[in-house]
Amino acid sequence: MVYVLRSPLKLQETVNAASVFLNTLTPKFYVALTGTSSLISGLILIFEWWYFRKYGTSFIEQVSVSHLRPLLGGVENSSSVGLFSSVNGDTEPRTNVAECKVWRNPLNLFRGAEYSRYTWVTGKEPLTYYDMNLSAQDHQTFFLGDTQQLRPEDSVMQKAWRERNPQARIRAAYQAIELNRECAAAYVLLAEEEATTITEAERLFKQALKSGRKLSHCHTYIATGKDTNLVVYIKRRLAMCARKLGRIKEAVKMMRDLMKEFPLLGMLNIHENLLEALLELQAYADVQAVLAKYDDISLPKSATICYTSALLKARAVSDKFSPEAASRRGLSTAEMNAVEAIHRAVEFNPHVPKYLLEMKSLILPPEHILKRGDSEAVAYAFFHLQHWKRAEGALNLLHCTWEGTFRIIPYPLEKGHLFYPYPGCTETADRELLPSFHEVSVYPKKELPFFILFTAGLCSFCAMLAMLTHQFPELMGVFVKAVSICMPHQTQKSSD
């Protein structure tokens, strides 16, 4: 190719001119050149590292895939269906949407009485706009979805849930109450967002429940499914108020009655509220009974189910557990069962142990969680850390055994051990659900992108050349001249 193009490109003349130009340059020019190159590559490196820490991907790589690849004719697989290996090795199609479905946090806090107090103290917003927007959609669907023809107060409340400003939502709730003094949804909004204490929130929820019952018994009004949803929501929040105010037995009774009265609303995960309250009562036999019903292979799992099961088994052996003694005599059957339960829980959600062992700082849990994600880990540890601390030695057993889970799981994660392979979309969803000041836990740990390593090497190489040229200008000048002399000879040989 070089031989064919030697005449039209005039390679030899070009190389000779370049060598003459290089010979006329001073060492100061090379210092400036290499220093500038090192500075530019360093700035690129800093930007790439910041972008990778914030978004979990390389900016250059993302731009290349998103914009350059289509121009070069690359086709990106847009199908949302992938094949995942199940526990028995068979493959089955599953959608990415199902993997990264966001769930309502069963133990979400009260905005006015808890989230807002955090904002007043720290000046930080504990909830993201994405999380609050999901809550607004939930309220509209849950409270207003079944009504074909909205009543005037319902229309006001539908707009109220969509308001981004909290004060605007509160004003709209009062407007709905002016239209109808028995508007239960308006009292719910005031209890969630205006009440600054749990006691005040409980009072408003009781007023909402009273209004809901009046409407359901009114002879001119036919109860709809959305009113049933509203009553269930209010009763659940009243039970949570009782739990927070220390009336735990009352809270347990309200939750049991609610589950018995509405058995088909299992999707609300009221049993997770019940498990937490029973653990606070230290009623471990009742906890085991609830787990026996909900920790079933046919039912969806959660961190609460898996880690509570592990806690019960760990509690039975943790007070006498010693790593040194276990290494000498081996694990007993009970200890093996506890370790296997911990491995099972860690495989389901590998982010939880760092919060339970206080290796990472906790934040207020979001209103929505992603199962197996960091958001679920934060929500679980926030409410259950105290229960693990209460069981003597349980955290020590967890500390000694949880990392062993990763030796069991195949790598790369093409197969799961007890569950489906860990989904790769959790990081993106968790970054939307968790506030920006929280460092999102990522599993598995991502390797540094190629462009970060490349820019780091380029920056280091240019900085080294700049330093050598500055310290040894004569020697580097001789080196450059030698290179410039060799270039014409190489070109001559190629053309011959």
Side-chain angles (χ1 to χ4, degrees):
M1 181 65 71
V2 173
Y3 179 79
V4 172
L5 297 176
R6 70 187 189 283
S7 296
L9 294 180
K10 297 181 180 180
L11 290 179
Q12 188 171 358
E13 292 81 352
T14 304
V15 171
N16 288 334
S19 62
V20 172
F21 175 74
L22 291 174
N23 287 329
T24 60
L25 297 176
T26 63
K28 291 183 178 181
F29 171 80
Y30 293 109
V31 173
L33 177 64
T34 52
T36 304
S37 301
S38 176
L39 176 63
I40 294 174
S41 55
L43 292 175
I44 296 174
L45 172 62
I46 292 172
F47 175 76
E48 276 282 294
W49 177 255
W50 169 82
Y51 196 87
F52 174 73
R53 294 280 293 180
K54 186 172 180 63
Y55 299 105
T57 185
S58 166
F59 174 77
I60 300 176
E61 187 176 319
Q62 187 179 32
V63 170
S64 301
V65 172
S66 303
H67 301 286
L68 299 182
R69 187 176 178 183
L71 295 177
L72 297 176
V75 179
E76 188 172 354
N77 185 15
S78 60
S79 176
S80 62
V81 179
L83 292 178
F84 293 85
S85 300
S86 60
V87 178
N88 58 11
D90 299 331
T91 57
E92 57 184 60
R94 299 182 70 199
T95 61
N96 293 334
V97 174
E99 284 183 356
C100 291
K101 179 181 178 181
V102 175
W103 298 75
R104 182 82 176 179
N105 182 3
L107 293 104
N108 65 303
L109 303 177
F110 294 87
R111 286 191 187 177
E114 293 172 304
Y115 287 120
S116 294
R117 291 173 65 184
Y118 177 84
T119 304
W120 298 337
V121 173
T122 64
K124 298 178 180 178
E125 288 291 343
L127 297 176
T128 63
Y129 175 67
Y130 174 72
D131 191 15
M132 292 189 290
N133 188 50
L134 289 176
S135 297
Q137 294 176 17
D138 290 343
H139 291 144
Q140 291 180 74
T141 304
F142 205 57
F143 300 155
L144 306 171
D146 292 343
T147 305
Q148 297 180 354
Q149 187 173 3
L150 293 177
R151 292 161 296 194
E153 63 272 19
D154 290 336
S155 301
V156 174
M157 288 307 302
Q158 191 175 43
K159 296 177 182 178
W161 296 123
R162 291 198 296 260
E163 287 287 351
R164 185 169 183 176
N165 189 333
Q167 296 303 318
R169 289 195 293 270
I170 292 172
R171 286 195 298 269
Y174 279 115
Q175 183 181 351
I177 292 174
E178 289 178 1
L179 294 173
N180 182 0
R181 299 290 299 176
E182 308 300 335
C183 181
Y187 290 111
V188 168
L189 190 147
L190 295 177
E192 292 284 355
E193 305 208 20
E194 189 185 39
T196 56
T197 63
I198 300 299
T199 304
E200 186 180 353
E202 184 181 39
R203 179 185 62 80
L204 288 168
F205 275 122
K206 287 181 178 179
Q207 178 63 42
L209 183 61
K210 181 180 178 182
S211 300
R213 285 173 174 169
K214 281 185 179 180
L215 284 176
S216 61
H217 288 88
C218 181
H219 68 280
T220 60
Y221 171 73
I222 301 176
T224 60
K226 65 99 179 178
D227 295 292
T228 302
N229 296 339
L230 186 58
V231 169
V232 171
Y233 182 89
I234 295 170
K235 287 184 175 181
R236 180 187 193 163
R237 294 304 259 177
L238 280 172
M240 293 175 70
C241 288
R243 163 67 183 91
K244 292 175 185 293
L245 293 173
R247 306 195 307 271
I248 305 173
K249 290 185 179 179
E250 178 185 342
V252 168
K253 183 180 184 304
M254 294 172 70
M255 293 172 191
R256 289 189 185 278
D257 292 342
L258 195 57
M259 293 168 64
K260 188 181 298 184
E261 186 178 358
F262 303 98
L264 299 179
L265 293 178
M267 61 180 179
L268 298 178
N269 297 322
I270 302 175
H271 60 276
E272 296 194 10
N273 300 82
L274 178 61
L275 283 172
E276 196 279 327
L278 290 173
L279 285 171
E280 181 64 22
L281 287 175
Q282 301 184 46
Y284 296 110
D286 292 336
V287 173
Q288 186 61 56
V290 175
L291 287 177
K293 181 177 180 181
Y294 290 97
D295 193 7
D296 186 84
I297 191 171
S298 62
L299 297 176
K301 299 294 181 290
S302 67
T304 300
I305 293 291
C306 295
Y307 277 90
T308 302
S309 177
L311 173 60
L312 293 189
K313 293 181 179 179
R315 176 181 165 273
V317 299
S318 60
D319 56 337
K320 299 178 182 177
F321 177 79
S322 171
E324 295 79 12
S327 62
R328 287 195 306 269
R329 60 173 169 77
L331 295 174
S332 65
T333 303
E335 289 173 339
M336 184 62 72
N337 290 336
V339 171
E340 288 177 354
I342 290 175
H343 287 176
R344 170 179 179 259
V346 174
E347 182 182 352
F348 182 82
N349 193 317
H351 309 286
V352 172
K354 288 189 176 181
Y355 293 107
L356 292 180
L357 298 173
E358 299 181 87
M359 300 166 65
K360 283 194 70 175
S361 59
L362 272 173
I363 60 171
L364 296 186
E367 292 183 337
H368 290 80
I369 59 173
L370 181 68
K371 287 192 175 182
R372 307 186 75 178
D374 191 35
S375 52
E376 184 189 37
V378 169
Y380 173 80
F382 184 87
F383 293 101
H384 289 262
L385 176 58
Q386 57 182 329
H387 306 314
W388 280 82
K389 287 184 174 180
R390 189 179 293 123
E392 183 181 355
L395 288 176
N396 178 48
L397 179 60
L398 177 68
H399 175 72
C400 296
T401 58
W402 75 279
E403 291 182 324
T405 309
F406 306 116
R407 292 192 291 270
I408 301 173
I409 302 174
Y411 187 85
L413 305 177
E414 73 281 358
K415 285 186 177 182
H417 178 59
L418 297 174
F419 299 99
Y420 288 104
Y422 191 81
C425 58
T426 57
E427 181 186 359
T428 304
D430 280 332
R431 290 185 188 278
E432 294 286 341
L433 291 171
L434 296 169
S436 58
F437 58 82
H438 173 71
E439 183 180 355
V440 175
S441 177
V442 179
Y443 175 79
K445 285 292 184 182
K446 291 187 175 181
E447 298 180 357
L448 287 176
F450 165 76
F451 286 105
I452 289 183
L453 300 175
F454 175 76
T455 51
L458 180 63
C459 177
S460 302
F461 178 71
C462 292
M464 183 184 65
L465 284 181
M467 184 182 66
L468 290 175
T469 306
H470 179 72
Q471 294 292 330
F472 310 103
E474 294 82 4
L475 183 61
M476 294 301 290
V478 172
F479 174 74
V480 171
K481 289 180 180 179
V483 173
S484 62
I485 291 173
C486 291
M487 289 174 59
H489 293 294
Q490 294 294 331
T491 308
Q492 180 68 32
K493 288 181 181 180
S494 300
S495 60
D496 293 340

PDB file of all heavy atoms in Angstrom, residues 269-282:
ATOM      1  N   ASN A 269     -48.271  -6.434  50.989  1.00  0.00           N
ATOM      2  CA  ASN A 269     -47.203  -6.897  51.887  1.00  0.00           C
ATOM      3  C   ASN A 269     -47.417  -6.437  53.336  1.00  0.00           C
ATOM      4  O   ASN A 269     -46.474  -6.037  54.021  1.00  0.00           O
ATOM      5  CB  ASN A 269     -45.834  -6.419  51.385  1.00  0.00           C
ATOM      6  CG  ASN A 269     -45.489  -6.998  50.025  1.00  0.00           C
ATOM      7  OD1 ASN A 269     -45.792  -8.161  49.742  1.00  0.00           O
ATOM      8  ND2 ASN A 269     -44.871  -6.204  49.179  1.00  0.00           N
ATOM      9  N   ILE A 270     -48.662  -6.523  53.802  1.00  0.00           N
ATOM     10  CA  ILE A 270     -48.947  -6.153  55.181  1.00  0.00           C
ATOM     11  C   ILE A 270     -48.239  -7.098  56.148  1.00  0.00           C
ATOM     12  O   ILE A 270     -47.906  -6.726  57.279  1.00  0.00           O
ATOM     13  CB  ILE A 270     -50.470  -6.151  55.428  1.00  0.00           C
ATOM     14  CG1 ILE A 270     -51.169  -5.181  54.449  1.00  0.00           C
ATOM     15  CG2 ILE A 270     -50.813  -5.772  56.862  1.00  0.00           C
ATOM     16  CD1 ILE A 270     -52.674  -5.203  54.526  1.00  0.00           C
ATOM     17  N   HIS A 271     -47.965  -8.322  55.693  1.00  0.00           N
ATOM     18  CA  HIS A 271     -47.272  -9.278  56.562  1.00  0.00           C
ATOM     19  C   HIS A 271     -45.874  -8.792  56.946  1.00  0.00           C
ATOM     20  O   HIS A 271     -45.338  -9.187  57.990  1.00  0.00           O
ATOM     21  CB  HIS A 271     -47.188 -10.647  55.883  1.00  0.00           C
ATOM     22  CG  HIS A 271     -46.456 -10.637  54.578  1.00  0.00           C
ATOM     23  ND1 HIS A 271     -47.063 -10.305  53.386  1.00  0.00           N
ATOM     24  CD2 HIS A 271     -45.155 -10.899  54.275  1.00  0.00           C
ATOM     25  CE1 HIS A 271     -46.179 -10.378  52.412  1.00  0.00           C
ATOM     26  NE2 HIS A 271     -45.016 -10.736  52.923  1.00  0.00           N
ATOM     27  N   GLU A 272     -45.269  -7.924  56.137  1.00  0.00           N
ATOM     28  CA  GLU A 272     -43.952  -7.394  56.501  1.00  0.00           C
ATOM     29  C   GLU A 272     -44.062  -6.408  57.659  1.00  0.00           C
ATOM     30  O   GLU A 272     -43.184  -6.357  58.531  1.00  0.00           O
ATOM     31  CB  GLU A 272     -43.291  -6.743  55.288  1.00  0.00           C
ATOM     32  CG  GLU A 272     -42.995  -7.736  54.168  1.00  0.00           C
ATOM     33  CD  GLU A 272     -42.044  -7.187  53.122  1.00  0.00           C
ATOM     34  OE1 GLU A 272     -41.446  -6.112  53.342  1.00  0.00           O
ATOM     35  OE2 GLU A 272     -41.892  -7.842  52.071  1.00  0.00           O
ATOM     36  N   ASN A 273     -45.143  -5.632  57.691  1.00  0.00           N
ATOM     37  CA  ASN A 273     -45.402  -4.788  58.863  1.00  0.00           C
ATOM     38  C   ASN A 273     -45.621  -5.650  60.103  1.00  0.00           C
ATOM     39  O   ASN A 273     -45.121  -5.336  61.195  1.00  0.00           O
ATOM     40  CB  ASN A 273     -46.638  -3.911  58.637  1.00  0.00           C
ATOM     41  CG  ASN A 273     -46.490  -2.979  57.454  1.00  0.00           C
ATOM     42  OD1 ASN A 273     -46.693  -3.387  56.317  1.00  0.00           O
ATOM     43  ND2 ASN A 273     -46.141  -1.736  57.704  1.00  0.00           N
ATOM     44  N   LEU A 274     -46.361  -6.747  59.920  1.00  0.00           N
ATOM     45  CA  LEU A 274     -46.657  -7.640  61.049  1.00  0.00           C
ATOM     46  C   LEU A 274     -45.377  -8.295  61.572  1.00  0.00           C
ATOM     47  O   LEU A 274     -45.179  -8.397  62.796  1.00  0.00           O
ATOM     48  CB  LEU A 274     -47.669  -8.698  60.603  1.00  0.00           C
ATOM     49  CG  LEU A 274     -48.063  -9.743  61.655  1.00  0.00           C
ATOM     50  CD1 LEU A 274     -48.711  -9.072  62.851  1.00  0.00           C
ATOM     51  CD2 LEU A 274     -49.009 -10.778  61.034  1.00  0.00           C
ATOM     52  N   LEU A 275     -44.492  -8.730  60.676  1.00  0.00           N
ATOM     53  CA  LEU A 275     -43.240  -9.357  61.094  1.00  0.00           C
ATOM     54  C   LEU A 275     -42.395  -8.403  61.939  1.00  0.00           C
ATOM     55  O   LEU A 275     -41.834  -8.801  62.975  1.00  0.00           O
ATOM     56  CB  LEU A 275     -42.445  -9.814  59.871  1.00  0.00           C
ATOM     57  CG  LEU A 275     -42.916 -11.094  59.173  1.00  0.00           C
ATOM     58  CD1 LEU A 275     -42.149 -11.293  57.873  1.00  0.00           C
ATOM     59  CD2 LEU A 275     -42.726 -12.293  60.090  1.00  0.00           C
ATOM     60  N   GLU A 276     -42.316  -7.160  61.505  1.00  0.00           N
ATOM     61  CA  GLU A 276     -41.493  -6.193  62.236  1.00  0.00           C
ATOM     62  C   GLU A 276     -42.067  -5.932  63.627  1.00  0.00           C
ATOM     63  O   GLU A 276     -41.327  -5.858  64.621  1.00  0.00           O
ATOM     64  CB  GLU A 276     -41.403  -4.890  61.436  1.00  0.00           C
ATOM     65  CG  GLU A 276     -40.287  -3.952  61.873  1.00  0.00           C
ATOM     66  CD  GLU A 276     -40.664  -3.125  63.093  1.00  0.00           C
ATOM     67  OE1 GLU A 276     -41.863  -2.785  63.220  1.00  0.00           O
ATOM     68  OE2 GLU A 276     -39.758  -2.823  63.905  1.00  0.00           O
ATOM     69  N   ALA A 277     -43.394  -5.828  63.719  1.00  0.00           N
ATOM     70  CA  ALA A 277     -44.023  -5.584  65.023  1.00  0.00           C
ATOM     71  C   ALA A 277     -43.864  -6.798  65.947  1.00  0.00           C
ATOM     72  O   ALA A 277     -43.604  -6.640  67.156  1.00  0.00           O
ATOM     73  CB  ALA A 277     -45.503  -5.253  64.827  1.00  0.00           C
ATOM     74  N   LEU A 278     -43.983  -8.008  65.403  1.00  0.00           N
ATOM     75  CA  LEU A 278     -43.803  -9.212  66.220  1.00  0.00           C
ATOM     76  C   LEU A 278     -42.363  -9.347  66.697  1.00  0.00           C
ATOM     77  O   LEU A 278     -42.111  -9.808  67.825  1.00  0.00           O
ATOM     78  CB  LEU A 278     -44.209 -10.450  65.410  1.00  0.00           C
ATOM     79  CG  LEU A 278     -45.710 -10.597  65.125  1.00  0.00           C
ATOM     80  CD1 LEU A 278     -45.960 -11.756  64.172  1.00  0.00           C
ATOM     81  CD2 LEU A 278     -46.496 -10.793  66.424  1.00  0.00           C
ATOM     82  N   LEU A 279     -41.414  -8.958  65.877  1.00  0.00           N
ATOM     83  CA  LEU A 279     -40.013  -8.984  66.311  1.00  0.00           C
ATOM     84  C   LEU A 279     -39.777  -8.001  67.448  1.00  0.00           C
ATOM     85  O   LEU A 279     -39.000  -8.269  68.371  1.00  0.00           O
ATOM     86  CB  LEU A 279     -39.092  -8.656  65.132  1.00  0.00           C
ATOM     87  CG  LEU A 279     -38.904  -9.761  64.089  1.00  0.00           C
ATOM     88  CD1 LEU A 279     -38.147  -9.227  62.888  1.00  0.00           C
ATOM     89  CD2 LEU A 279     -38.158 -10.950  64.691  1.00  0.00           C
ATOM     90  N   GLU A 280     -40.454  -6.861  67.404  1.00  0.00           N
ATOM     91  CA  GLU A 280     -40.322  -5.894  68.489  1.00  0.00           C
ATOM     92  C   GLU A 280     -40.892  -6.465  69.790  1.00  0.00           C
ATOM     93  O   GLU A 280     -40.367  -6.200  70.875  1.00  0.00           O
ATOM     94  CB  GLU A 280     -41.047  -4.602  68.112  1.00  0.00           C
ATOM     95  CG  GLU A 280     -40.960  -3.499  69.145  1.00  0.00           C
ATOM     96  CD  GLU A 280     -39.537  -2.998  69.376  1.00  0.00           C
ATOM     97  OE1 GLU A 280     -38.680  -3.175  68.479  1.00  0.00           O
ATOM     98  OE2 GLU A 280     -39.283  -2.438  70.465  1.00  0.00           O
ATOM     99  N   LEU A 281     -41.946  -7.270  69.670  1.00  0.00           N
ATOM    100  CA  LEU A 281     -42.508  -7.933  70.852  1.00  0.00           C
ATOM    101  C   LEU A 281     -41.687  -9.139  71.278  1.00  0.00           C
ATOM    102  O   LEU A 281     -41.970  -9.737  72.329  1.00  0.00           O
ATOM    103  CB  LEU A 281     -43.944  -8.388  70.561  1.00  0.00           C
ATOM    104  CG  LEU A 281     -45.025  -7.311  70.482  1.00  0.00           C
ATOM    105  CD1 LEU A 281     -46.350  -7.930  70.071  1.00  0.00           C
ATOM    106  CD2 LEU A 281     -45.165  -6.581  71.810  1.00  0.00           C
ATOM    107  N   GLN A 282     -40.710  -9.534  70.441  1.00  0.00           N
ATOM    108  CA  GLN A 282     -39.903 -10.736  70.662  1.00  0.00           C
ATOM    109  C   GLN A 282     -40.783 -11.989  70.699  1.00  0.00           C
ATOM    110  O   GLN A 282     -40.488 -12.958  71.411  1.00  0.00           O
ATOM    111  CB  GLN A 282     -39.071 -10.620  71.934  1.00  0.00           C
ATOM    112  CG  GLN A 282     -38.109  -9.431  71.921  1.00  0.00           C
ATOM    113  CD  GLN A 282     -37.225  -9.379  73.140  1.00  0.00           C
ATOM    114  OE1 GLN A 282     -36.660 -10.391  73.556  1.00  0.00           O
ATOM    115  NE2 GLN A 282     -37.090  -8.184  73.727  1.00  0.00           N
TER     116      GLN A 282
END
